[in-house]
Every structure is written in structure tokens, then in C-alpha cells.
Amino acid sequence: MIDFRSDTVTKPTKEMRDIMYSAPVGDDVYGDDESVNNLENFASTRFNFEAALFCSSGTQANLLGLMAHCERGDEYICGQNAHNYKFEGGGAAVLGSIQPQPIENEQNGSINFNKIAAAIKPDDSHFAKTRLLSLENTIGGKVLSLEYLAQARDFVNEHNLALHLDGARAFNASVELEVDIKQITKHFDSVSICLSKGLGAPVGSLLLGSSSLVNKARRWRKVLGGGMRQAGMLAAAGQYALENNISRLKDDHANARYLA
Ligand SMILES: Cc1ncc(COP(=O)(O)O)c(C=O)c1O
């Protein structure tokens, strides 16, 4: 039986489990977990961001990204099909007092910039403050083009917004486009990356951003109950995944094409 429900049903390999077994650990809430620190340092270098935060899930990494960019009464613009709008229990509104402004995705997964511009609220006390544009790549299995990402950066600069990427499967996009992940992530102020999907780690996601954004997110992570203690066993699996399991995503893509 082949389980096609999701790439989240992947299981750690023996090599990954061996690494987890021997991972040095400490209390990460005190900053003492060597394996978590290694992963966060490794990731910030790998993705070329100032800082990285190990999170319990993609949902948590996205929520922390939104809460670090936005205050109570702010708004983020995203696609109608965005995971962090449609499939995360309304967390930004429920827990962050942040209003989503969803816009219908185009066939290719992008969001039309004219439609985004029309949805940005004027500076007027009737409205929430539009702070952030959130994109997703891949979205519904579709890869956003590098040209579109560059245009999104120009667009947010022009409109004084920040730009977040739900990059749960950003490595699928980079492997498909045959570019380094930095060519995708360089346009964004913050990025979430899932380690527990096609990359095969059992648990965990990363949030990447500036040091000040990640410090804010770290504080919210604790408030949300996401301060994990000896989390190094999980972080070591995540680092193993980043070091060993990227290029094999090609096999998943080939299998998906064959199945289609
Ligand atoms: C695009 C995208 N973002 C975020 C998530 C959330 O990840 P998690 O299941 O680890 O909370 C998912 C989960 O499938 C996803 O597909």
C-alpha cells in the first residue's frame, strides 16, 4: 500500500534515527540545547538570514511570523487558498488579533498585484492597518516563478509592506527550478520552512528572518507553549534532513509526474 494522503506521512530513516539518538541536548528555553543551536545557526547561514527559530510545526512557524510582523488590529494579505488563511484554524485572528485579507489565487497560484493594491487599506481609523503580504511557494503543488517573486518584492517596497513566505515546500520549488533555495528566499522578510514533509524529519519547522523579528517570534513561541526543552533530538533530525534529503525531492516529483 502506498499512502498518498500527504508528504507529511514520511518517516525518519535509520540514519536519521541514529543521529537523533546521539544528539547532544540541553534546555532550549535557556538557550542550552546544542543541537537546536546548531540547527538554527546552520539554517540562518544556509538561507542567508540573520536568525532562525526552530518551531514545533509549520502552522506555528507561520503564526509566529504573522505575530512578529503584525500587531493587534493589523492585517495581512494572502491568497484565498493560502495554508495560513484556510488551513490553520484562523490562528492569526484567533491568537494574534490579526485580520486576514484573502484574495483569490490565479490559476498558477500567484495573486494579481492590481487586486492586492486595491485591497490595501487607506490610513483611516475605519480600517485595519495593512502590514504584510504573505505568499506560499509551492502552492497547491505549483511553483511561483522567480520573476513573480522579484515583482512581489518591488510591490511591497512600493507599498511599504513586509513580505512573508510560507515556504513549507520551498525546497520542492528550488529543486524543480534547479536554483539554490536562496534565489527563492532572498526576496522575503521572513520565511517558514517545514522539515517534516518531503524532507523526512518527524517534527519541526523553521522560521527565518532578521534578529529582531526572530527575537519577537521566540517570545511569542514561549507564550504559545512552544518553548520545547530538550528539543535537540528533533532539531538533529531537522539538520540531517537539510543536509541529506533535498536532492531526493526530484524522485518525489518524478513519481508524481508518473502517477499523473
Ligand atoms: C503550505 C503549508 N504550510 C504550512 C503547513 C503547516 O504545517 P504543519 O502541518 O507542520 O503545521 C502545511 C501543512 O501541510 C502546508 O501544506
Side-chain angles (χ1 to χ4, degrees):
M1 211 271 283
I2 303 175
D3 189 341
F4 287 129
R5 283 172 301 169
S6 172
D7 54 0
T8 57
V9 300
T10 52
K11 291 179 185 164
T13 58
K14 175 166 185 324
E15 294 74 28
M16 186 182 275
R17 286 173 193 252
D18 288 345
I19 295 276
M20 295 170 74
Y21 183 75
S22 57
V25 296
D27 190 331
D28 181 51
V29 174
Y30 292 109
D32 286 350
D33 192 296
E34 196 180 318
S35 300
V36 172
N37 294 342
N38 285 343
L39 171 65
E40 291 178 349
N41 291 334
F42 176 83
S44 60
T45 306
R46 179 72 187 86
F47 294 89
N48 198 26
F49 278 87
E50 274 176 16
L53 183 67
F54 184 50
C55 304
S56 62
S57 66
T59 300
Q60 188 183 68
N62 275 332
L63 177 61
L64 294 176
L66 295 173
M67 290 177 74
H69 282 291
C70 302
E71 305 291 333
R72 183 179 191 208
D74 287 350
E75 170 184 88
Y76 69 108
I77 296 178
C78 60
Q80 191 77 41
N81 297 328
H83 202 276
N84 64 13
Y85 166 62
K86 200 171 175 182
F87 301 101
E88 295 180 7
V94 174
L95 300 163
S97 301
I98 305 161
Q99 166 174 292
Q101 169 63 73
I103 295 176
E104 186 192 350
N105 290 95
E106 304 298 313
Q107 275 293 320
N108 65 5
S110 68
I111 315 173
N112 180 294
F113 292 119
N114 293 330
K115 292 184 188 167
I116 302 174
I120 295 173
K121 311 290 179 288
D123 183 8
D124 174 316
S125 60
H126 287 86
F127 303 113
K129 289 181 188 155
T130 311
R131 289 276 184 223
L132 179 74
L133 173 61
S134 178
L135 299 177
E136 186 173 313
N137 194 18
T138 61
I139 175 157
K142 292 171 184 167
V143 180
L144 299 178
S145 72
L146 295 179
E147 295 74 30
Y148 178 77
L149 301 184
Q151 287 164 6
R153 181 75 249 171
D154 290 342
F155 178 88
V156 297
N157 288 350
E158 190 186 328
H159 294 276
N160 205 18
L161 304 177
L163 188 59
H164 173 77
L165 177 68
D166 177 346
R169 297 182 182 82
F171 275 112
N172 293 82
S174 78
V175 165
E176 186 62 16
L177 293 174
E178 298 184 335
V179 298
D180 186 82
I181 190 72
K182 293 199 260 310
Q183 294 307 312
I184 292 172
T185 56
K186 70 179 182 183
H187 300 290
F188 293 87
D189 299 298
S190 57
V191 175
S192 62
I193 297 279
C194 282
L195 304 167
S196 62
K197 299 193 163 65
L199 302 191
V203 175
S205 281
L206 292 162
L207 178 69
L208 301 143
S210 66
S211 300
S212 64
L213 183 118
V214 167
N215 283 344
K216 233 172 141 183
R218 193 180 290 281
R219 191 178 165 79
W220 281 127
R221 187 187 67 172
K222 185 75 178 76
V223 173
L224 293 171
M228 298 181 284
R229 301 288 177 173
Q230 285 72 25
M233 295 175 86
L234 303 174
Q239 182 154 347
Y240 179 90
L242 288 175
E243 286 174 337
N244 297 281
N245 290 353
I246 307 294
S247 58
R248 61 148 306 285
L249 291 173
K250 270 194 199 126
D251 302 342
D252 294 351
H253 298 175
N255 286 337
R257 277 205 184 88
Y258 176 72
L259 180 67

